[in-house]
């Protein structure tokens, strides 16, 4: 409580209480999914004690032992391996390629610790600039991404960031939106380094996916879709649909509702019939997590979509016809964009 962490964010003692508050919420959410009744208590004890070794002479003399000494002290005091390992591991991953925490309590405290740093620093406007990143925010963001992805955590990114803000009281302003952009930028860079193309990454991240653990499955689906012969035409059509809807929505939101009685042209009737037949199947595959099959099912829409644009005037003078056709395109657009923004694949 006497060690200053940052002049705008208070002492290390205050910081520990914030990490505890964040880890408690995380542990509750994860424990519910895993059925781990002990997780909240273990994570709270580890969060309470994770920084205590910073005021010991050993860590004062050898700073690289922070966390490691905390683990030894915890074992010495009879706190058990779960809490001791969580204390030792809460700085992980410390560098690219480093291991992740060994147990779930360690993952919770490591996530809470990194979120506290990111949310706090963004909340006081202390952002990385150029090569300068004194609080290692880029590394912390990559650590958050790795834990969410590799541990397949059932946590939504926006909820995760927003949930950490109340722990700071009035010390910060909520910069969750800016922080989310920062994390998606780090994720995009990481995915491109793994060999995904900029187009593939843009197509998936344009939708701001909340479960980062599912992003690689979405990327695999986009890659498989791009290899289909129908892909270029459908991606171009999806881009065209997006532009039509954007112009239409200047006058108000377009409702994805279709009145079959107003479908006058054969091409629009055929497209509606195809949507009725194939979209429920694609949605069921999406909900089951089979994103590749979902996009492959939608690939059969190429012919009716092409015919629609060849034969149908979307912006008909008659208002009810125009709104109905826009609703038909909105239904198509929503179906096509569940996995990724496929228009990003258009040349």
């Amino acid at each position: 409580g006497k060690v200053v962490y940052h002049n705008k964010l208070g002492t290390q003692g205050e910081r520990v209480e914030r990490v505890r508050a964040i880890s408690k919420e995380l542990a509750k959410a994860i424990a519910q999914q895993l059925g781990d009744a002990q997780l909240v208590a273990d994570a709270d004890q580890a969060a309470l004690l994770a920084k205590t070794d910073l005021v010991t002479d050993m860590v004062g003399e050898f700073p690289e032992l922070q966390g490691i000494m905390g683990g030894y002290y915890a074992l010495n005091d009879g706190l058990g391996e779960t809490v001791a390992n969580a204390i030792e591991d809460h700085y992980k991953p410390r560098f690219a390629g480093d291991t992740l925490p060994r147990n779930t309590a360690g993952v919770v405290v490591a996530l809470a610790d990194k979120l506290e740093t990111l949310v706090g620093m963004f909340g006081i406007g202390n952002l990385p600039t150029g090569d300068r990143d004194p609080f290692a925010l880029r590394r912390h963001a990559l650590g958050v991404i790795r834990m969410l992805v590799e541990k397949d955590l059932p946590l939504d990114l926006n909820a995760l960031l927003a949930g950490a803000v109340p722990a700071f009281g009035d010390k910060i302003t909520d910069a969750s939106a800016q922080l989310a952009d920062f994390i998606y930028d780090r994720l995009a860079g990481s995915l491109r380094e793994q060999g995904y193309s900029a187009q593939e990454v843009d197509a998936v991240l344009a939708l701001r996916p909340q479960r980062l653990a599912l992003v690689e499955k979405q990327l695999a689906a986009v890659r498989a879709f791009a290899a289909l012969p129908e892909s270029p035409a459908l991606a171009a059509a999806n881009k065209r649909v997006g532009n039509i809807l954007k112009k239409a929505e200047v006058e108000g939101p377009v409702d994805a509702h279709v009145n079959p009685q107003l479908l006058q042209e054969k091409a629009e009737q055929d497209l509606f019939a195809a949507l009725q037949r194939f979209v429920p199947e694609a949605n069921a595959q999406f909900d089951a997590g089979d994103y590749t099959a979902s996009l492959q099912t939608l690939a059969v829409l190429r012919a009716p979509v092409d015919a629609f644009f060849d034969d149908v005037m979307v912006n008909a003078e008659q208002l009810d016809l125009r709104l109905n056709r826009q609703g038909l395109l909105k239904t198509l657009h929503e179906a096509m964009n569940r996995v990724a923004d496929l228009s990003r694949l258009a040349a």
Side-chain angles (χ1 to χ4, degrees):
K2 295 176 183 176
V3 179
V4 175
Y5 166 58
H6 190 283
N7 61 353
K8 291 184 179 178
L9 296 173
T11 65
Q12 285 283 12
E14 291 174 283
R15 184 184 178 207
V16 164
E17 289 307 313
R18 292 194 293 266
V19 172
R20 284 183 75 189
I22 296 166
S23 69
K24 189 172 287 187
E25 294 308 309
L26 290 175
K28 283 179 188 173
I30 295 171
Q32 206 168 18
Q33 296 282 336
L34 300 181
D36 185 347
Q38 188 59 31
L39 179 60
V40 176
D42 286 343
D44 186 53
Q45 187 161 42
L48 172 65
L49 300 172
K51 303 295 182 188
T52 52
D53 65 359
L54 295 179
V55 293
T56 64
D57 290 342
M58 180 67 87
V59 173
E61 187 74 21
F62 303 104
E64 66 274 16
L65 293 179
Q66 60 186 353
I68 295 170
M69 290 313 303
Y72 281 124
Y73 294 138
L75 285 174
N76 185 67
D77 285 351
L79 294 179
E81 276 193 12
T82 300
V83 171
N85 288 346
I87 291 170
E88 180 179 341
D89 289 351
H90 87 279
Y91 289 106
K92 293 179 178 180
R94 294 157 297 186
F95 50 83
D98 191 16
T99 56
L100 297 183
R102 284 164 281 184
N103 61 43
T104 310
V107 170
V108 167
V109 181
L111 255 182
D113 186 49
K114 288 164 180 58
L115 287 169
E116 193 279 338
T117 302
L118 287 162
V119 170
M121 289 301 160
F122 269 76
I124 60 171
N126 197 351
L127 312 184
T129 54
D131 290 337
R132 280 186 52 74
D133 187 7
F135 287 90
L137 301 187
R138 294 184 182 97
R139 177 165 58 79
H140 284 320
L142 285 169
V144 168
I145 290 165
R146 278 194 60 197
M147 283 185 279
L148 291 175
V149 171
E150 294 176 34
K151 296 295 184 179
D152 193 15
L153 295 179
L155 302 169
D156 287 357
L157 183 62
N158 286 351
L160 199 63
L161 302 182
V165 173
F168 289 85
D170 60 1
K171 289 185 184 294
I172 66 167
T173 55
D174 185 351
S176 296
Q178 193 178 8
L179 177 52
D181 289 342
F182 181 76
I183 290 172
Y184 282 119
D185 282 347
R186 304 281 80 68
L187 177 58
S190 172
L191 291 169
R192 287 194 294 268
E193 285 175 10
Q194 292 172 47
Y196 294 102
S197 72
Q199 271 186 315
E200 290 167 341
V201 172
D202 287 348
V204 172
L205 297 192
L207 299 189
R208 313 285 280 186
Q210 291 300 297
R211 283 285 303 276
L212 300 193
L214 301 178
V215 165
E216 288 195 24
K217 284 179 73 174
Q218 289 169 270
L219 283 164
V222 167
R223 183 169 283 180
F225 174 78
L228 298 174
E230 298 90 349
S231 165
L234 273 174
N238 197 45
K239 191 171 187 176
R240 186 174 176 183
V241 170
N243 291 335
I244 291 169
L245 293 174
K246 200 177 291 180
K247 287 178 185 173
E249 284 171 347
V250 170
E251 298 175 12
V254 173
D255 184 14
H257 174 75
V258 180
N259 179 354
Q261 305 300 320
L262 293 173
L263 299 171
Q264 296 185 347
E265 307 286 343
K266 183 177 186 305
E268 61 183 332
Q269 293 166 359
D270 289 347
L271 177 57
F272 178 70
L275 290 173
Q276 292 288 99
R277 180 179 173 189
F278 294 109
V279 169
E281 183 183 346
N283 285 343
Q285 290 162 333
F286 178 92
D287 293 337
D290 194 346
Y291 305 140
T292 301
S294 182
L295 288 184
Q296 287 171 338
T297 296
L298 293 174
V300 301
L301 296 174
R302 179 198 167 167
V305 168
D306 285 350
F308 177 88
F309 280 121
D310 286 343
D311 300 344
V312 178
M313 173 68 72
V314 177
N315 292 321
E317 287 188 21
Q318 199 174 322
L319 181 61
D320 57 351
L321 287 185
R322 183 165 74 247
L323 293 177
N324 204 52
R325 287 167 183 172
Q326 289 172 355
L328 185 62
L329 291 183
K330 179 85 169 190
T331 304
L332 170 66
H333 200 54
E334 288 180 351
M336 294 289 290
N337 277 7
R338 284 199 81 187
V339 175
D341 179 357
L342 299 178
S343 65
R344 304 292 176 115
L345 302 179

